[in-house]
Amino acid sequence: VFLPQLAAFFDISMDELMDYEPQMSKENIRKLYISLASDFTVKPFEEVLEKWREIVKKYYSCFPLLFQMGVLLVNNSVQADNMEQTLAVIAEVKALFARVKKEGGDAQLMRIALNMEAFCALTLGHADEAVELLEGIGNKVISSESVLAPAYQMLGKQEQAKSVMQTGIYQYM
């Protein structure tokens, strides 16, 4: 009861009063990602997972952060203590990607969240769900690799063209 009155007195929001920001900048997301990725290499998985969960809970409406946190956990899920925990973590992340896909607001972010949700479904052994998620979506967006590689080739830069295509293939696998 006291905090809303205090915020009104100073003519600021409750979030400002509590110094809470529901959104993180791209730079802060990047720094947090790097920090947690480093933690996954040196600290126990369960300890970093708990920290990950706290961050996701705190910034549950920051969809770019949620997406990056999902990618981070997918990349580190094999460090779990056993296969059961790995699959549980993948299921948790799949739900996070579904939330980003449903509520993210940014079309590109929502599309890559859909792809990651399908990847998680496939990892969990639910091929039918992955097909259901992606079937009919099609590749409506031209990938940068499909333009950049031929451009390098036309310039006689065969190694760069090959590198770009290999990177694109790897990303789409």
Side-chain angles (χ1 to χ4, degrees):
V1 176
F2 178 69
L3 290 177
Q5 291 172 347
L6 189 59
F9 177 78
F10 288 109
D11 194 28
I12 58 175
S13 71
M14 286 288 295
D15 286 345
E16 289 173 301
L17 180 65
M18 302 298 292
D19 194 29
Y20 172 72
E21 295 182 35
Q23 301 294 315
M24 289 183 77
S25 69
K26 287 181 182 181
E27 181 62 23
N28 286 340
I29 291 171
R30 187 184 69 75
K31 287 178 183 177
L32 181 58
Y33 185 99
I34 291 169
S35 172
L36 284 175
S38 175
D39 286 351
F40 272 118
T41 64
V42 296
K43 294 181 180 177
F45 180 81
E46 199 59 46
E47 179 184 324
V48 183
L49 179 61
E50 283 308 309
K51 184 176 179 181
W52 179 93
R53 286 179 175 142
E54 289 172 14
I55 292 165
V56 166
K57 184 178 179 181
K58 182 176 181 180
Y59 294 99
Y60 203 58
S61 65
C62 182
F63 298 106
L65 172 72
L66 295 182
F67 178 80
Q68 291 300 323
M69 292 295 98
V71 169
L72 176 70
L73 200 50
V74 165
N75 290 337
N76 290 281
S77 62
V78 294
Q79 295 181 35
D81 294 333
N82 54 53
M83 184 55 79
E84 185 178 312
Q85 185 183 27
T86 297
L87 295 177
V89 164
I90 294 293
E92 183 176 354
V93 173
K94 180 180 168 286
L96 195 61
F97 288 131
R99 175 170 159 62
V100 173
K101 175 192 76 178
K102 183 179 179 186
E103 300 177 30
D106 175 78
Q108 182 179 3
L109 181 64
M110 292 166 75
R111 180 174 176 81
I112 57 177
L114 168 67
N115 288 330
M116 289 302 295
E117 180 186 6
F119 173 79
C120 290
L122 191 59
T123 302
L124 293 168
H126 305 149
D128 55 335
E129 185 181 354
V131 168
E132 185 180 312
L133 284 166
L134 297 177
E135 196 170 51
I137 298 297
N139 193 4
K140 297 176 176 102
V141 178
I142 297 174
S143 69
S144 59
E145 292 88 2
S146 66
V147 176
L148 187 56
Y152 277 137
Q153 197 169 23
M154 290 173 84
L155 294 171
K157 298 179 178 182
Q158 301 304 324
E159 285 303 310
Q160 286 96 329
K162 183 178 172 182
S163 176
V164 166
M165 286 308 291
Q166 287 174 340
T167 302
I169 290 168
Y170 176 76
Q171 287 177 341
Y172 291 109
M173 292 298 287

